[in-house]
Amino acid sequence: MSALLKLSLKRGALVTAANWQVVLVQFVADTLFKTLVAVPIVGGLVLVALVVGGNPIELLRLDDLAHTVSTMIGVLLAQPVALAAFASALGIILAGGSILMFAVKAGSVTVLLAGDRAAGAIEVPPLQLSALREANQASLELFTNGVRSLFPRYLRLGIGLTVVYAIIAGTYFVFLFGPSISQALDNPLAVTLASLLLLIVLTLVNFLYLLLQIVMAAEDCGVLEALPLVAKLLRRRTKHLTQVLAAILALMLMATGASILATTALGLIAFVPFVGLAALPLQVFAWLVRGVVFQFVGLTGVSTYLRMHFALQTSSVEVRSPSDGLVTRA
């Protein structure tokens, strides 16, 4: 990796660590959003269980997820009133939760932007606590000012993202469930390929969405003004952006793998008398650590993209080598 990319990643991690308060705020908001979304889904499973005469817990078995999905869709389609109630509840929760996430993201990006501007050359060794204190710009006033300034623009951008999501989801379901739901779900290859393509498309869409948020905050502009700036950033920094995205995804996969291993290990000791009593609090602690790490990695990506955008806007970035003091330009 080039010196610019290495220092950008390091700077992004340090600025995010200095503003650890926004990491916790993002974690709480994300957890609240997922909890709210789970409520109508669990309600739909209970409704399906009442209709078909089964156990809601049995419907959540991961080894027969295709059957669970097909059963839930079939029952809801056969009950128009239940389907309308389920769709309304899920839509209200998604709309309200998304608005909350837009507001939190506006405040978080504002704080990270201020931290990056105040950090100085924090990425150049030696690292000092004074540099971290200067980079810590997290405050309630700055966060709320960011919400007031960016939330209307982020809301419009989020509405556009929702439309894109709807188009992608509609295409996915038409392709996968067009001929017959049962036939589509009985074909594992079709489900796997369609799901993999859906995951790739959603990743790219979310990546572009994040870049738009960053540019809108950095340049204090609207969605239309940010589009050419994002296109310029993608055109000029394609390799670096791809490497940063790959690094962020790799870190999230590693965190997911570590979380699965920790959960499995704690599950093994849950059956040990007395010692097993500590399994539940340890599992909760592991879940908390996993959530915080995920938010830290994601916000590190935000800070890194901010630095790369500023580097492109200034056309050159001074990179001072800690060994010989030479200055190069990228």
Side-chain angles (χ1 to χ4, degrees), residues 3 9 18 37 41 44 48-49 58 61 116 122 156 173 175 209 222 232 264 276 278 288 322 328 330:
L9 282 169
V37 171
I41 295 179
V48 170
E58 293 294 326
R61 292 183 304 172
D116 182 83
I122 192 174
R156 290 192 291 270
F173 283 111
F175 172 77
Y209 169 71
K232 179 182 178 181
T264 304
L288 290 174
T328 58

Side-chain angles (χ1 to χ4, degrees), residues 78-235:
Q79 302 289 334
V81 177
L83 178 61
F86 174 77
S88 300
L90 186 60
I92 293 173
I93 291 296
L94 288 175
S98 298
I99 291 174
L100 170 66
M101 295 304 297
F102 297 154
V104 172
K105 196 57 170 292
S108 300
V109 173
T110 301
V111 171
L112 292 178
L113 177 61
D116 182 83
R117 287 173 172 169
I122 192 174
E123 69 275 17
V124 178
L127 177 62
Q128 299 178 353
L129 290 178
S130 59
L132 289 175
R133 285 194 293 267
E134 291 178 0
N136 184 4
Q137 298 293 312
S139 66
L140 182 60
E141 181 181 3
L142 181 61
F143 190 90
T144 54
N145 288 338
V147 173
R148 284 194 294 266
S149 175
L150 292 176
F151 174 69
R153 286 172 279 178
Y154 277 18
L155 181 60
R156 290 192 291 270
L157 180 62
I159 293 174
L161 179 67
T162 304
V163 174
V164 174
Y165 276 169
I167 295 174
I168 294 174
T171 304
Y172 174 76
F173 283 111
V174 168
F175 172 77
L176 193 60
F177 300 139
S180 171
I181 293 178
S182 60
Q183 292 179 5
L185 292 177
D186 289 337
N187 189 348
L189 181 60
V191 174
T192 302
L193 292 178
S195 301
L196 181 60
L197 180 61
L198 176 67
L199 182 62
I200 294 174
V201 172
L202 289 178
T203 301
L204 294 177
V205 169
N206 289 330
F207 176 61
L208 294 176
Y209 169 71
L210 180 60
L211 290 181
L212 284 171
Q213 285 184 320
I214 291 170
V215 172
M216 289 166 62
E219 301 299 326
D220 193 20
C221 61
V223 179
L224 296 180
E225 293 84 356
L227 286 174
L229 296 176
V230 171
K232 179 182 178 181
L233 180 62
L234 290 171
R235 185 174 62 254

Side-chain angles (χ1 to χ4, degrees), residues 231-284:
K232 179 182 178 181
L233 180 62
L234 290 171
R235 185 174 62 254
R236 299 282 299 275
R237 301 292 186 189
T238 304
K239 180 181 178 181
H240 291 160
L241 289 173
T242 303
Q243 289 176 336
V244 172
L245 178 61
I248 296 299
L249 292 177
L251 288 173
M252 288 189 172
L253 288 176
M254 292 172 60
T256 302
S259 175
I260 293 174
L261 290 177
T263 303
T264 304
L266 292 174
L268 294 176
I269 69 172
F271 300 98
V272 180
F274 300 106
V275 179
L277 297 176
L280 181 58
L282 287 176
Q283 288 176 342
V284 173

Side-chain angles (χ1 to χ4, degrees), residues 12-30 101 103-116 135-140 142-144 147 291-292 294-300 302-303 306:
L14 291 175
V15 171
T16 304
N19 296 277
W20 55 269
Q21 295 91 337
V22 297
V23 177
L24 297 182
V25 171
Q26 284 277 149
F27 169 69
V28 172
D30 184 69
M101 295 304 297
V104 172
K105 196 57 170 292
S108 300
V109 173
T110 301
V111 171
L112 292 178
L113 177 61
D116 182 83
N136 184 4
Q137 298 293 312
S139 66
L140 182 60
L142 181 61
F143 190 90
T144 54
V147 173
V292 172
F294 264 58
Q295 296 301 326
F296 174 77
V297 172
L299 291 176
T300 296
V302 173
S303 299
L306 271 173

